[in-house]
Amino acid sequence: MSKNLAFEEPVVQLREKIDELKTIAADADVDMTGEIEKLETRLTQLEQSIYANMKPWDRVQVARHPERPTTLQYIEAMCENFIELHGDRTFGDDAAILGGIALFEGQPVTIIGHQRGKSTKENIRRNFGMPHPEGYRKALRLMKQAEKFNRPIICFIDTKGAYPGKAAEERGQSEAIARNLVEMAGLSVPVISIVIGEGGSGGALALGVANRVFMLENSTYSVISPEGAASILWRDGSLAKQAAEAMRITAPDLKELGVIDGIIPEITGGAHRNVAKQAIYIKECISDTLKALNSLNGEQLIEDRYEKFKKIGQYTEV
Amino acid sequence: MAIRDIFSANRKKKQDGQEKAFPEGLMTKCPECRHIQLTKELEKHHKVCTKCGHHFKMTAQERVADFLDEGSFVSMDDHLQTSNPLNFPAYVEKINADQQKTGLNEAVLTGLGTLDGEEIVVAIMDSHFRMGSMGSVVGEKITRAVEKATALRVPFIIFTASGGARMQEGVLSLMQMAKTSVALKRHSDQGLLFISILTHPTTGGVSASFASVGDINIAEPQALIGFAGRRVIEETVREKLPNDFQTAEFLLEHGQLDAIFHRKDLRKQVAVLVKMHTKGGVQHV
């Protein structure tokens, strides 16, 4: 059963009412088709108006939905023959980042993504999708491997951020992220990054120096979580809702700021309502983008990435 | 009056008292050991406490004077101006105030200069300007400085001092990490030298981008260097962290730095390193 979010409450209530009416109609054997149809029309209108007017904070809730599809679900829905590859060859295997090789429309690709858990137990194992340095180093190892064999790289971004822990600092969290940024800049194969849930700060960007960056309609991408921003800016973490608006973290915001290349539409109500269909939307986007990028050679791909990131930022010259 | 107010009133009184005790600027008190020394004496010692060796923060201009050959520095991109992309209230006013205070257009000073005769491009971050935080202008100035070094085929040297990303520019400040990285990659691919000198403090997004990827990473003694804030980590792991956590010495011990140089040796040592990577190095036949 889906966990419902506060802003969806009117939709949920009306849907329950319709279900109730249907049960009554069936039990009492009376014809209420007219009423039910009327209510269903109203439900469709209500859904459209509510989901078309989602506020940034509503999107944050959808992006964090416990049933929001994860990297692995999309890989399974989109690809064939996925084989997961483990470990950074230096310290360990970080389950917060997952990677491997798969066939995408017949073409071998390397896929890497942050991986959240679906249950508490899995979340503990995967550290809630918050990587340690070895996670980023595994990602880089797999990217270099992809480059050697001339495979495109697809990254799924879905993390609150890199893990802020003692061991992470000791093993060089900063260096691991920084290294990925620099090395991704020089990859001679196509790189596509897609924010599928939360894109939290440097821990997200470490999989984000791509030729094309897309966001799912209800995902977020930001320098800091709304709670963190509220706490720093107004010394009050409970003002997260206001911070979510002020910080401009939604897909349309990032498109307007020139940070991302496009928005992948979501199923009405959020990706979790129909994973299979959502995966098709993502697959179409990757397919089109790969077709365009496959025509560029290694040098052109590096140049393309350089030009893309060089442009980002706003300032005046006086 | 709340208890907190009484304390802050007392603190204020104490501070006022201190100011009266020493004529403005003549004497400086070390924040570490509380030793009071002549400001002139402190400056003669590269702003390092004569008693305990504490390295005081430097302004960008002080660093230029301390590190580069006298009169060699030519600054770049002073005409870039911060805009207010997210329309944060009072952001532009804060920038203007810090421009007045520091004489810089933003939290980094970039330019050309010579180090013991060797031509270099240098970027010096200044934590007196918005805590050295990185917004669009800081990212753009550093990127242009790297590009300049690449074009001239000379070493790029950066002094980092930053609290991390500039909150008021949101995701645009995050993207400066990527922008500077693509430029550094190109510089590196040309076989050119990049030395990162991490000074107090270097944290967050700056630590997690250019600061950590020098061909050689050097730090000043006791500099605070880290990805996440100490308080955040303590709250996450629910344990007290050691006193030296995230100091330069801690990083050196954990294999994250090439060397720590005392400021009195820094110029000389970096000059030697630069020469070994340019014409002064051993030529292979």
Side-chain angles (χ1 to χ4, degrees):
Chain A
M1 194 66 206
S2 279
K3 198 184 134 199
N4 297 307
L5 305 169
F7 76 95
E8 310 176 291
E9 214 37 59
V11 175
V12 175
Q13 279 173 8
L14 188 58
R15 194 177 289 134
E16 275 169 7
K17 218 178 194 173
I18 294 170
D19 288 345
E20 209 177 299
L21 214 56
K22 279 181 181 165
T23 321
I24 294 168
D27 289 352
D29 202 19
V30 285
D31 184 23
M32 292 205 254
T33 324
E35 278 79 10
I36 290 171
E37 260 174 24
K38 241 187 259 168
L39 283 176
E40 277 179 339
T41 316
R42 228 176 84 198
L43 178 67
T44 313
Q45 285 166 348
L46 192 64
E47 274 186 336
Q48 271 168 359
S49 78
I50 282 188
Y51 292 121
N53 292 301
M54 283 169 69
K55 298 276 178 290
W57 186 244
D58 301 333
R59 292 191 198 271
V60 170
Q61 301 309 308
V62 174
R64 289 177 179 172
H65 198 288
E67 284 170 24
R68 187 145 178 100
T70 65
T71 293
L72 196 53
Q73 282 176 287
Y74 287 132
I75 292 174
E76 280 166 356
M78 272 177 2
C79 300
E80 283 159 45
N81 297 103
F82 176 65
I83 297 174
E84 189 180 350
L85 303 174
H86 296 270
D88 71 340
R89 297 294 185 272
T90 303
F91 180 81
D93 183 38
D94 188 349
I97 288 187
L98 170 145
I101 314 172
L103 285 180
F104 179 88
E105 296 184 329
Q107 183 181 14
V109 293
T110 287
I111 308 191
I112 299 162
H114 300 99
Q115 182 64 40
R116 287 179 296 104
K118 279 289 183 183
S119 60
T120 307
K121 198 177 157 197
E122 196 196 352
N123 256 323
I124 290 167
R125 183 168 76 81
R126 298 197 180 276
N127 202 29
F128 296 82
M130 299 171 84
H132 280 75
E134 50 273 21
Y136 295 112
R137 290 176 182 139
K138 168 169 71 177
L140 183 57
R141 180 177 77 82
L142 297 179
M143 289 187 212
K144 290 284 189 184
Q145 184 193 63
E147 185 179 39
K148 174 176 175 182
F149 296 103
N150 209 19
R151 283 194 291 269
I153 299 165
I154 298 160
C155 292
F156 289 120
I157 294 172
D158 187 15
T159 184
K160 287 185 188 304
Y163 187 65
K166 184 166 170 260
E169 297 283 330
E170 288 172 345
R171 297 201 287 273
Q173 189 73 289
S174 284
E175 195 273 345
I177 294 169
R179 185 65 54 200
N180 278 21
L181 304 182
V182 170
E183 293 303 324
M184 285 186 86
L187 292 168
S188 59
V189 291
V191 185
I192 302 171
S193 292
I194 301 172
V195 186
I196 58 171
E198 282 181 279
S201 199
L205 185 63
L207 299 183
V209 185
N211 294 92
R212 299 289 179 273
V213 181
F214 298 95
M215 284 174 76
L216 291 196
E217 197 180 337
N218 295 319
S219 62
T220 59
Y221 199 178
S222 63
V223 68
I224 188 170
S225 68
E227 289 81 0
S231 144
I232 287 178
L233 292 167
W234 306 306
R235 304 194 186 284
D236 185 355
S238 66
L239 296 174
K241 194 174 169 178
Q242 286 87 324
E245 310 213 347
M247 295 298 287
R248 306 200 55 193
I249 62 176
T250 67
D253 287 326
L254 269 82
K255 183 80 178 66
E256 203 188 308
L257 290 167
V259 174
I260 59 166
D261 298 281
I263 301 170
I264 300 174
E266 271 192 40
I267 307 295
T268 306
H272 57 286
R273 298 203 181 264
N274 191 339
V275 184
K277 203 167 161 197
Q278 188 63 56
I280 293 170
Y281 293 169
I282 298 173
K283 190 174 181 177
E284 280 168 359
C285 170
I286 295 174
S287 178
D288 292 347
T289 311
L290 273 184
K291 268 180 207 125
L293 293 176
N294 277 341
S295 66
L296 301 179
N297 67 29
E299 234 168 81
Q300 288 168 325
L301 287 163
I302 294 167
E303 182 66 24
D304 172 84
R305 229 172 282 130
Y306 191 96
E307 291 304 324
K308 171 179 170 58
F309 285 96
K310 169 75 186 155
K311 280 203 303 269
I312 303 179
Q314 282 183 25
Y315 53 85
T316 54
E317 304 200 37
V318 290
Chain B
M1 189 186 263
I3 287 181
R4 186 182 286 271
D5 297 330
I6 298 170
F7 283 127
S8 78
N10 282 344
R11 206 178 302 135
K12 193 156 185 288
K13 229 184 270 170
K14 263 191 205 161
Q15 279 171 354
D16 290 343
Q18 273 171 14
E19 271 167 32
K20 270 171 210 146
F22 317 110
E24 179 91 24
L26 188 62
M27 306 290 283
T28 305
K29 185 173 174 179
C30 174
E32 274 303 307
C33 73
R34 300 177 165 269
H35 176 61
I36 295 158
Q37 52 217 304
L38 280 167
T39 304
K40 263 192 182 159
E41 189 72 6
L42 184 68
E43 280 163 4
K44 215 169 77 188
H45 288 89
H46 313 275
K47 289 193 87 179
V48 177
C49 175
T50 50
K51 192 168 172 219
C52 75
H54 169 72
H55 285 52
F56 282 71
K57 284 181 187 172
M58 276 186 153
T59 66
Q61 296 92 339
E62 283 171 338
R63 185 68 74 173
V64 166
D66 192 60
F67 185 73
L68 294 172
D69 297 343
E70 204 180 332
S72 71
F73 182 70
V74 182
S75 80
M76 286 166 46
D77 300 315
D78 295 313
H79 64 295
L80 298 190
Q81 283 294 329
T82 293
S83 59
N84 190 359
L86 269 51
N87 290 316
F88 255 91
Y91 179 44
V92 175
E93 287 76 4
K94 282 175 183 164
I95 294 293
N96 289 341
D98 280 5
Q99 286 177 336
Q100 296 294 322
K101 190 175 82 180
T102 62
L104 302 168
N105 64 331
E106 252 291 352
V108 67
L109 177 66
T110 56
L112 294 152
T114 60
L115 174 65
D116 201 14
E118 297 292 337
E119 199 182 336
I120 60 167
V121 172
V122 70
I124 302 166
M125 302 188 84
D126 193 328
S127 62
H128 302 90
F129 194 115
R130 300 274 91 212
M131 304 230 314
S133 59
M134 176 161 62
S136 296
V137 171
V138 170
E140 181 65 21
K141 283 186 80 174
I142 292 172
T143 304
R144 289 190 189 188
V146 175
E147 287 174 334
K148 182 60 123 185
T150 313
L152 295 172
R153 301 196 61 79
V154 300
F156 175 67
I157 297 179
I158 191 162
F159 285 86
T160 62
S162 174
R166 178 82 50 87
M167 288 302 126
Q168 291 90 342
E169 293 190 32
V171 74
L172 290 179
S173 71
L174 178 71
M175 291 299 145
Q176 303 311 307
M177 293 167 65
K179 181 197 264 190
T180 50
S181 295
V182 296
L184 283 171
K185 178 64 179 168
R186 188 178 275 189
H187 185 72
S188 180
D189 284 349
Q190 296 282 317
L192 299 166
L193 178 66
F194 165 38
I195 298 178
S196 174
I197 302 168
L198 294 88
T199 74
H200 181 79
T202 297
T203 59
V206 167
S207 160
S209 58
F210 47 82
S212 298
V213 289
D215 295 299
I216 296 165
N217 295 334
I218 293 163
E220 288 194 331
Q222 292 295 322
L224 170 75
I225 304 162
F227 175 66
R230 187 191 184 93
R231 206 159 38 91
V232 175
I233 299 172
E234 279 182 338
E235 278 167 21
T236 312
V237 299
R238 294 181 195 285
E239 64 175 292
K240 193 100 181 79
L241 296 164
N243 278 338
D244 71 339
F245 187 67
Q246 295 183 326
T247 59
E249 290 73 13
F250 176 91
L251 266 81
L252 187 75
E253 192 185 319
H254 286 92
Q256 306 299 330
L257 287 174
D258 288 291
I260 297 172
F261 291 146
H262 190 288
R263 200 178 280 160
K264 71 175 162 44
D265 305 320
L266 186 65
R267 175 181 146 88
K268 193 182 77 201
Q269 295 284 57
V270 176
V272 169
L273 281 170
V274 167
K275 283 175 198 290
M276 285 200 275
H277 287 84
T278 53
K279 52 186 174 287
V282 179
Q283 298 292 318
H284 294 282
V285 188

